Structures are given as structure tokens and as C-alpha cells.
Amino acid sequence: MTAIPEKKWERKMEKRKKKEKGDGLFVNYCYLYKGWFQMSRWNILFMVMILAGGVSSLYMGLYLPKIAVSLVMSQVPLHEMAITFGLAGLLYFFLSWTENAGYRLMNSPSLKYRHVLEERILHKICRTAYCDLEDPDYKKRIEHAKHLYQHWDRDARQCIWDSVEFVYLLITIPITSGMLMSLHPTVIVVLAVGTWLQYRLSQRNIVWEKKYRDLWQPLEMRIDYISWKVADFSYAKDIRLYAADKWLLPKYKKLMGERRNWKKKQIMHGMGLSAAGKITEVVKQMFVYGFLLWGVISGNVRADDFVLYVGLALSLSDSFTQVAMRLSRVRESMLSISDYRKMMSMPDSRQREEKGDPGLPEGRAPGITFSHVSFAYPGTGENTLEDVDITIRPGEKIALVGANGAGKSTLVKLLCGMYEPTGGEILLDGVPAARWGLEEWYRLFSVVFQDVGVIPATIAENVSSSSLEKLDRNKVRECLEKAGLMELVDSLPKGMDTCLQKEMFREGINLSGGETQKLLLARAIYKEAPILVLDEPTAALDSIAENQLYLKYSELTRGRTAVFISHRLSSTRFCDRILMLENGRITEQGSHEELMKNRKAYYEMFQLQSHYYQKDRTEDFSSGLDPEWEVSGYASN
């Protein structure tokens, strides 16, 4: 038995794996067309018009010169010649018009299909587990999948057009070849062999791109990131004040240079292959013309047949060339379809069962239990949280405190269903989290995160997270009043119908950091979820607004379980219990007074913070200047 060379064996195994995974040409295009036909059954008619009209008009166009020469050779009367040729011309026009109309009618649905595909993937991104969005591999798959609805050279519309034209060629090549068989099979063999060589040359471009595209993909992501950040209005002040453009733009230029180098390599690689393909094309055509001329000289080919055979031979030569190019394009486009399919079929890493809500009594907050919960980020090998074992009673007000990196945000994300524990389990009223559908779990929480911005929509829509037709305006007003933002809203010409983000709306406004935090608090109140989570809710507020929020805290959290993350330990006194986190573990818990009596980490942190607010310490923070000089300096200014 002959041994298979190693590289050949590897290619064979790779093809087998692709076949087993259903990642072939036929499977991918079936996926594409299934969605396209489901979107509109009229698309089937448009395809039939293109194929039927295109194939018929091709051969009608090839026969028109033969008809004309035959009529002249037969010395048919002029009026009969005009009628015969006129009717043939009208038929040709009708068939060509049918093909052209099919393309035009197909254009709009194919563009719409791009948007449908984008909507589907955006829906998946919005519904997938939060932890998946932090995975670099997941982000890379999203970037690859975008080709099918963003890149014009490989989008769904182009994929459909390329495949339709490829099918058109698959229909015409056998018909034309059969007609040329009466001339000589050698013509077909030469054209086929030459086209096969052209196809093999074009394939090397695809192989080259598949080999190196993962090297330039990170460059494109960094280029897009810098471009987006520089154009983002929220970064405009920092870019100017810190002259960030002086180091951002050189980085951008360097990345663009590296990407252009890859493009140059791709172009140079393609130029050599293109030149070889052109030489092959010239050789094919020279052979065809030589063979036909010899037929005329030897008397084996009539004048009208000569015209037809020339047309058929040139058409077949062009079809063979086109089929190689179209097959290459179809295979390239298949990469976009395959990437999109892989993205859409990626399994969700969450472990929740979609069985629905186990049920909680209306109007009552549930009890929350972390039973020996641990969590490690994928690939780290170290636990961010270690053996967290706590129970939060219904309606209890909890403060999470600790240094940066202690695990506070991770604990909250676990609670809210963003992450799944790698050890232990979380329960609501004794029911394991695995029995809750994730959508039902989300409905239990109103959360104000620090890093969440506003949506470019009206204030009312931002608060209600719903369209203007569905929101309760009285409820929106009540929530804005509780959050302390109603006075500002009433001062605006359009009130709660004012649009946010003036970069998007001519009459829009931008809120300050404190106002944004109040808006997000109003949104959390509007949801009326039984569990309220506040991540540093006073971080962007001034001291007066902070005090007002604390005075309203009991009202805002009435009947709810509240979890409050704070770095300001002076703000934790109104909570029922304080949990002190250190290195992913809960090291202390109790009321403020109890933890102060323990004189451990919480006590030390509180003393350190309060040090800077004690009146007898103000002498430690002096400018070193003469007070009289400072006063006189300000007065003179």
C-alpha cells in the first residue's frame, strides 16, 4: 500500500473534518438561501427570472448573427428577412429584459437581507451570556461574522449574486459544450484544461488569505478602536487637554502602515497569479481561433456555422474563465457565511435551564443565599472569589466594602446572573439559580452600574427603557422626582421628551456625571424589581446631592432587598449589615458599630478615610503660602 505524503494526508484530514462538521460549500449556501427565501417567497421568482431570462437570451444572442448570415446566404426577400430578424430581435429583447428585471427586483430584498442578518446577530449578542462578551475569541468571531452584513465585497447580497451567476454558468457550460461537440471535442478539452489551470491559480489567493488573515485581523480591530475613540465626543476633552492625539495618531499611523504592508503582500501575491492566468487565457483563445480558421479553409465549416461556432467557442471560453472566477468568489464568500453560521451556532456558556420562573410571591423580596460560592475567570486558574457563604434576608440592606480588586463587582455580577459560579451555588428562597431562566432572573434586579451610559433617546425613554407609546409618563415623573432629577427636567423646554446626547440630536443635551447617575437611578426605580443593586451611586454626586440621596435611601429601598457597593465607608451606616471583602473572601460582617468594635480591617480603613475629614487635621494640608498674600492676590485679581 502506497504511503500518503504527510501534507497531503493533513489536507485530506482537514477536508474530512470540515465535511463532518457540515462546513462545506453546499451546506453554507443552503443556510444562506433558506433565510433569504423565508424572508420573502418572491425571491424565488426573481431568481427564476434571472436564470431563465439569462440563459435564453445568451443563446438567442448567439443565434442572431447565424440567422442573419443564413438569411443572406439563402437570398430571402428583404421584407421576409426584416420580419424574421425583427421577431427574433424582439424575442431577444424580451428575454434580456426579463433577466435585467430579475436583477433589479432582487436588489432591494438582498439589501434588506443584510439588515436582517445583522439584526439576528445583534439579538444573539444581546441575549448571550455576559461572560461570553468578555472572551477575546468570542469578540474575534463577531468581527469575522460582520463580513456577511457589513463588507460589500463579501456581504449576503454579493454572496447571492455570485452564487446565482455561478449557477447560471453551470447551466450554460454543458449546453454550449454539447453544441460544440459537433465541431470537435478537442476544443472543449483545451478550454476546460486551460480554465482548470486558471482556477488552480486563483485558489492560491484564498489559501494565502486563510493562512495570514488572523495576523492582520488584530491590526484592523486596533485601527477601528482608535478611529472610534478619536471620533467619540465623550473623549474630546481628554484628547485636547492631554494632547492624546500626539501619541494616538502616530499609533494609528503605525498600525495602518502595518496593515498596508499586509495588503501590499496580498496584492503582489495576486499580481503574479493574475499574470499567469492571463497568459493561459490568451493561449486558449489562440487555439480556438486557429481551429475554426482551419475549418473554414478546409471547407468543413459553413459561413453561418462559422459565426455561430465563433460565438459558442468564445462564450464557452469566457464561461470557463468566469466559472473559475465565480467559484473562487463563491468559496471566498463561503468564508463569510461559515463565520456567520459559527457565530450564530456558538453555544451559550451559561448553565441556566430555560424553564421559566419558579415563582415568588408578588410584592415580596426573596432571600438570597451564596452557598460556598467560588469564581475564577476563564484561563486565570485563580479564584477571584473564594468560598463565599452568606445569606441576605428579604428586604435587608447590605453594603459591600473593600479595596479595589477585592471582588465586590464580581460578587454583584454573580448575583445578577452575569457570571455563573465555578464552585458552589446561588439560591433565591432556597431555589437554585439553575432552575431559573436567565431572562426571568434578570427581571428580579434593578441595577445601577458605574460604567453604564445613557441611550441616545428621550429622557422618558431612558427611564422606562421602552418606547414613547408604551411608557407610563406619570410613573416616569415620580421616579425622576425620587432620584432628584425632576427639577432639571422641568427646566428643559421639552421636559422629559428632551433627547439625550447632543452629538446625535440637534436639540439634544448632555447630562453631567451626577445627573447621569440620577437618571440611571430613576431607571432602576422605574423597573420596580424586588432586588436593588447600587454600584457607587454617589460617586459622581456633590455632597448636597449625596446627603439628599441618603435621606431618601429608606424610601427608595422600601420593600426591596438592597445591595450597595461603596468605597466611602461613612456612607454605609444606613445599611443593616456590612460585608468586608479582602482578596475574594468575606473577612468581616456586621453593622457599622459592630465592625468598629472589632478593630480589624474595616476599622482601619474607616479610620484612614476619616483622617482626611477631621478638622484637627487641616493644618497638615497647607499650600505653604502666606494666607494674607493669598487673600490679597485673589482680591487684586
Side-chain angles (χ1 to χ4, degrees):
M1 184 176 177
T2 307
I4 301 175
E6 186 176 349
K7 289 186 178 179
K8 189 175 180 181
W9 181 84
E10 288 177 357
R11 288 197 297 268
K12 188 175 181 181
M13 292 303 296
E14 186 178 350
K15 287 181 180 179
R16 183 179 295 177
K17 287 179 181 178
K18 285 185 177 181
K19 190 174 180 181
E20 290 173 355
K21 292 179 181 178
D23 198 27
L25 188 72
F26 181 76
V27 173
N28 279 300
Y29 274 92
C30 280
Y31 176 87
L32 181 73
Y33 275 101
K34 181 180 178 182
W36 195 50
F37 291 148
Q38 285 176 346
M39 187 185 75
S40 174
R41 301 296 181 186
W42 285 100
N43 293 329
I44 300 174
L45 174 62
F46 302 152
M47 281 194 64
V48 170
M49 289 174 65
I50 292 169
L51 294 174
V55 172
S56 301
S57 63
L58 169 68
Y59 293 109
M60 194 66 212
L62 292 174
Y63 267 93
L64 277 176
K66 175 181 169 60
I67 293 170
V69 173
S70 179
L71 289 172
V72 171
M73 290 175 62
S74 302
Q75 297 182 348
V76 175
L78 186 61
H79 68 279
E80 290 184 16
M81 185 185 300
I83 294 171
T84 304
F85 199 74
L87 290 174
L90 285 174
L91 179 59
Y92 174 72
F93 171 78
F94 172 76
L95 294 172
S96 299
W97 178 86
T98 302
E99 179 190 16
N100 186 56
Y103 273 114
R104 289 181 178 277
L105 291 169
M106 194 176 75
N107 188 45
S108 180
S110 58
L111 285 173
K112 180 183 176 183
Y113 192 35
R114 293 180 74 217
H115 304 149
V116 170
L117 291 170
E118 185 172 10
E119 287 175 11
R120 288 176 184 172
I121 209 163
L122 291 176
H123 183 270
K124 180 177 177 62
I125 292 171
C126 290
R127 298 297 177 181
T128 194
Y130 176 83
C131 56
D132 287 340
L133 300 179
E134 297 182 328
D135 183 1
D137 183 60
Y138 194 93
K139 292 179 180 178
K140 185 172 74 173
R141 287 185 180 275
I142 293 174
E143 290 301 315
H144 286 171
K146 284 181 179 179
H147 281 81
L148 198 59
Y149 56 84
Q150 282 190 355
H151 289 223
W152 287 98
D153 59 334
R154 288 188 186 174
D155 68 334
R157 173 173 167 269
Q158 192 63 48
C159 289
I160 291 169
W161 282 11
D162 286 336
S163 59
V164 168
E165 292 180 18
F166 181 66
V167 171
Y168 163 83
L169 292 169
L170 291 182
I171 295 172
T172 58
I173 286 174
I175 297 174
T176 308
S177 299
M179 296 172 71
L180 280 173
M181 274 289 185
S182 59
L183 179 63
H184 204 285
T186 307
V187 176
I188 300 168
V189 172
V190 171
L191 293 175
V193 170
T195 304
W196 179 81
L197 289 173
Q198 289 177 289
Y199 170 71
R200 295 299 297 175
L201 290 169
S202 66
Q203 281 296 101
R204 298 193 63 82
N205 264 333
I206 303 174
V207 173
W208 190 92
E209 181 177 340
K210 289 176 70 175
K211 183 178 179 181
Y212 294 108
R213 70 172 179 169
D214 283 341
L215 296 178
W216 69 62
Q217 185 72 44
L219 294 174
E220 291 182 347
M221 292 177 67
R222 291 172 192 150
I223 289 167
D224 291 342
Y225 182 82
I226 294 175
S227 177
W228 179 68
K229 291 297 182 185
V230 169
D232 189 349
F233 183 76
S234 60
Y235 290 86
K237 296 189 293 293
D238 297 273
I239 289 174
R240 283 154 179 76
L241 290 172
Y242 295 98
D245 59 309
K246 292 182 179 179
W247 59 273
L248 270 178
L249 295 183
K251 280 180 178 290
Y252 180 84
K253 185 177 180 180
K254 181 175 181 293
L255 291 169
M256 285 296 292
E258 293 177 20
R259 181 63 185 95
R260 282 196 299 270
N261 287 337
W262 277 111
K263 193 63 178 178
K264 287 177 184 176
K265 291 178 183 178
Q266 189 177 11
I267 291 171
M268 294 302 295
H269 183 266
M271 283 178 64
L273 297 173
S274 177
K278 287 295 181 183
I279 292 171
T280 306
E281 177 67 22
V282 170
V283 171
K284 285 194 308 179
Q285 292 194 10
M286 286 179 64
F287 175 83
V288 170
Y289 276 113
F291 193 90
L292 287 172
L293 286 172
W294 175 253
V296 173
I297 293 170
S298 61
N300 295 325
V301 178
R302 292 173 51 191
D304 56 340
D305 288 334
F306 173 81
V307 174
L308 176 62
Y309 283 135
V310 166
L312 288 171
L314 292 178
S315 174
L316 184 61
S317 176
D318 182 63
S319 294
F320 274 142
T321 303
Q322 287 292 323
V323 80
M325 293 173 56
R326 288 299 168 187
L327 181 57
S328 178
R329 288 291 300 270
V330 164
R331 289 177 64 86
E332 288 175 4
S333 300
M334 185 194 72
L335 295 176
S336 299
I337 305 170
S338 178
D339 288 336
Y340 186 89
R341 281 183 61 225
K342 288 175 182 176
M343 174 63 203
M344 292 300 293
S345 62
M346 277 190 73
D348 202 326
S349 63
R350 57 190 172 188
Q351 302 165 13
R352 305 288 175 97
E353 299 177 13
E354 297 296 337
K355 292 184 177 179
D357 184 355
L360 288 174
E362 287 290 334
R364 185 182 70 78
I368 306 167
T369 300
F370 277 63
S371 179
H372 302 285
V373 169
S374 298
F375 179 79
Y377 287 95
T380 60
E382 296 182 4
N383 284 337
T384 304
L385 289 179
E386 183 73 40
D387 195 31
V388 174
D389 194 37
I390 55 171
T391 297
I392 302 174
R393 295 181 294 274
E396 190 175 14
K397 314 300 183 264
I398 296 292
L400 294 176
V401 299
N404 289 333
K408 302 185 298 296
S409 295
T410 303
L411 190 149
V412 165
K413 288 175 181 177
L414 280 165
L415 172 64
C416 296
M418 304 296 168
Y419 300 148
E420 298 290 344
T422 51
E425 62 178 346
I426 301 172
L427 306 97
L428 285 187
D429 276 354
V431 179
R435 289 185 54 192
W436 289 74
L438 205 53
E439 299 302 321
E440 286 71 30
W441 187 274
Y442 289 154
R443 293 192 185 98
L444 300 174
F445 296 88
S446 288
V447 188
V448 179
F449 288 114
Q450 261 189 300
D451 55 352
V452 177
V454 298
I455 301 167
T458 66
I459 292 174
E461 288 172 318
N462 269 276
V463 172
S464 64
S465 294
S466 59
S467 62
L468 290 171
E469 296 80 16
K470 296 181 179 179
L471 60 85
D472 184 338
R473 300 182 71 85
N474 292 329
K475 186 177 176 181
V476 169
R477 172 172 287 276
E478 181 183 343
C479 294
L480 288 169
E481 288 175 350
K482 288 182 179 179
L485 195 62
M486 200 62 230
E487 184 177 348
L488 170 68
V489 174
D490 283 338
S491 69
L492 300 172
K494 293 187 178 181
M496 66 176 68
D497 294 320
T498 302
C499 291
L500 299 178
Q501 295 194 358
K502 61 184 179 183
E503 304 91 337
M504 299 288 290
F505 303 101
R506 181 173 295 178
E507 298 180 355
I509 65 166
N510 286 337
L511 300 177
S512 67
E515 291 164 349
T516 299
Q517 213 154 18
K518 290 178 181 178
L519 179 75
L520 298 177
L521 179 60
R523 183 169 68 185
I525 298 169
Y526 187 96
K527 188 177 178 182
E528 294 184 336
I531 303 171
L532 179 64
V533 180
L534 303 175
D535 185 0
E536 291 286 351
T538 63
L541 302 180
D542 56 53
S543 56
I544 296 174
E546 181 183 28
N547 184 61
Q548 290 175 344
L549 178 62
Y550 291 155
L551 292 175
K552 292 181 178 180
Y553 186 76
S554 295
E555 179 186 354
L556 296 176
T557 59
R558 184 178 294 115
R560 302 184 184 190
T561 299
V563 179
F564 174 72
I565 301 176
S566 178
H567 287 91
R568 301 181 190 177
L569 301 190
S570 59
S571 64
T572 61
R573 293 188 175 189
F574 56 84
C575 293
D576 300 322
R577 187 157 44 117
I578 301 165
L579 304 179
M580 179 73 184
L581 276 81
E582 294 181 280
N583 299 319
R585 292 178 177 270
I586 295 179
T587 55
E588 298 178 70
Q589 57 178 303
S591 66
H592 173 77
E593 291 74 17
E594 290 171 344
L595 297 185
M596 290 299 290
K597 288 179 182 178
N598 290 341
R599 302 177 73 85
K600 293 182 180 179
Y602 179 86
Y603 171 84
E604 293 176 2
M605 186 177 288
F606 186 86
Q607 289 294 98
L608 184 64
Q609 288 189 12
S610 62
H611 171 88
Y612 298 103
Y613 297 100
Q614 294 175 14
K615 291 183 178 180
D616 59 349
R617 300 288 183 180
T618 54
E619 68 272 10
D620 295 337
F621 303 95
S622 171
S623 65
L625 298 175
D626 183 357
E628 293 183 3
W629 184 90
E630 291 186 74
V631 172
S632 62
Y634 281 117
S636 63
N637 287 334

